[in-house]
Amino acid sequence: MAFLVIDIGNTRLKWGLYERGQPDAPLLAHGAVPLEDIDHLWETDWSRLPQRPVAMLGCVVAGEAIKRRVEEQLLQGWGLRPHWMSATAFGGGVINGYEHPQRLGADRWAAIIGARQHALRVSPENPPPVLAVMVGTAVTVDSVDASGRFLGGLILPGFGLMYRALESGTAGLKVPTGEVRDFPTNTSDALMSGGTDAIAGAIERTMRRLRVACGRDPLLIMSGGAVSRLSHVEELPALVVENLIFEGLLTLAGNASKNEA
């Protein structure tokens, strides 16, 4: 009863094969490919999987053309009918407080649900508020209160977008990758430290707001392909979760199975 989850982001497709469609299921295999390589996904990855998935659930932000190219491989390879989730007013134990719930990105919604599940594991009877941070092409910083209500969140450029904006908008900033320093003394370190402090500062400010709003310390959870660039920041005592979006997708899949039963 293997279950496939797919996260099609802005630059990469990430996938995971789990023993079943439940949040506590063992991971059997996983991988990631750049979007420009997805036409070969069946040949390079999926045709070699140890088990054939019987169902799947995914989220997409990359657009319809990319989604169709993935669907073709699912259907031709396994005859697997694709299911793609979108944000709803309620799901996975979270109330969606977005002004227009359906306009919330599917990947953000899945990550928020995954983060809420971690808060429930910390204390099922009295879960803490949680801040879900995804660090990728863009960075999202989303707040969930102790009752499971999504309060809202931030979207800001990721490290790569910041660097490219500076390179294109200024002269002489095409330099090697630097290090994070308290007081940078070269341009490479200044760029790396500036990007890190900008993102870390947004997270710290939101942590303070959430603490005031809820009257208690929130649980900070971070995930995403570039999370390693933030996980060392001492001011951000975070739980780093490798596959937060997958956990949200598995939660939704598990809830759907219970409702069908």
Side-chain angles (χ1 to χ4, degrees):
M1 300 292 289
F3 190 88
L4 183 68
V5 292
I6 300 174
D7 169 27
I8 307 179
N10 292 296
T11 57
R12 296 192 306 162
L13 179 151
K14 286 81 71 179
W15 61 269
L17 182 71
Y18 288 82
E19 193 172 282
R20 57 188 179 278
Q22 299 287 342
D24 59 347
L27 178 64
L28 303 176
H30 65 97
V33 297
L35 293 187
E36 55 265 29
D37 294 337
I38 61 168
D39 287 333
H40 309 291
L41 187 55
W42 174 260
E43 301 168 13
T44 59
D45 292 78
W46 287 350
S47 64
R48 306 172 186 179
L49 289 181
Q51 293 188 34
R52 174 189 179 126
V54 298
M56 66 78 64
L57 183 63
C59 59
V60 188
V61 298
E64 286 296 319
I66 296 289
K67 185 174 76 170
R68 283 196 299 271
R69 285 154 65 186
V70 175
E71 289 177 340
E72 290 171 0
Q73 294 178 76
L74 292 171
L75 289 167
Q76 294 173 7
W78 291 308
L80 189 61
R81 181 183 175 188
H83 293 276
W84 305 101
M85 56 83 69
S86 57
T88 55
F90 177 83
V94 180
I95 300 167
N96 190 344
Y98 224 47
E99 184 175 340
H100 301 285
Q102 71 279 4
R103 294 184 184 177
L104 178 67
D107 55 342
R108 287 177 70 189
W109 184 231
I112 289 165
I113 290 170
R116 172 64 175 174
Q117 293 304 306
H118 278 274
L120 289 168
R121 289 181 203 135
V122 169
S123 177
E125 301 300 323
N126 188 26
V130 62
L131 191 67
V133 177
M134 293 297 301
V135 189
T137 304
V139 176
T140 56
V141 185
D142 291 318
S143 299
V144 182
D145 69 15
S147 71
R149 181 176 183 83
F150 168 51
L151 303 176
L154 311 178
I155 303 174
L156 57 153
F159 289 94
L161 289 177
M162 286 187 188
Y163 298 156
R164 286 194 289 274
L166 285 168
E167 285 181 356
S168 63
T170 58
L173 282 183
K174 293 184 178 181
V175 295
T177 301
E179 301 291 336
V180 176
R181 310 287 187 191
D182 288 342
F183 302 100
T185 56
N186 61 68
T187 304
S188 293
D189 292 352
L191 285 170
M192 177 61 76
S193 302
T196 299
D197 282 359
I199 295 171
I203 296 170
E204 286 186 81
R205 285 171 61 88
T206 306
M207 286 280 286
R208 289 198 293 270
R209 293 177 188 139
L210 188 55
R211 185 181 297 113
V212 170
C214 297
R216 58 190 291 199
D217 288 336
L219 172 65
L220 173 60
I221 294 179
M222 297 198 302
S223 187
V227 71
S228 61
R229 295 189 176 185
L230 281 179
S231 56
H232 66 281
V233 178
E234 294 180 359
E235 293 84 359
L236 301 178
L239 172 64
V240 177
V241 178
E242 184 175 359
N243 295 311
L244 188 61
I245 288 177
F246 289 175
E247 293 187 18
L249 291 171
L250 290 171
T251 298
L252 291 170
N255 289 350
S257 297
K258 291 177 184 177
N259 292 337
E260 291 173 1

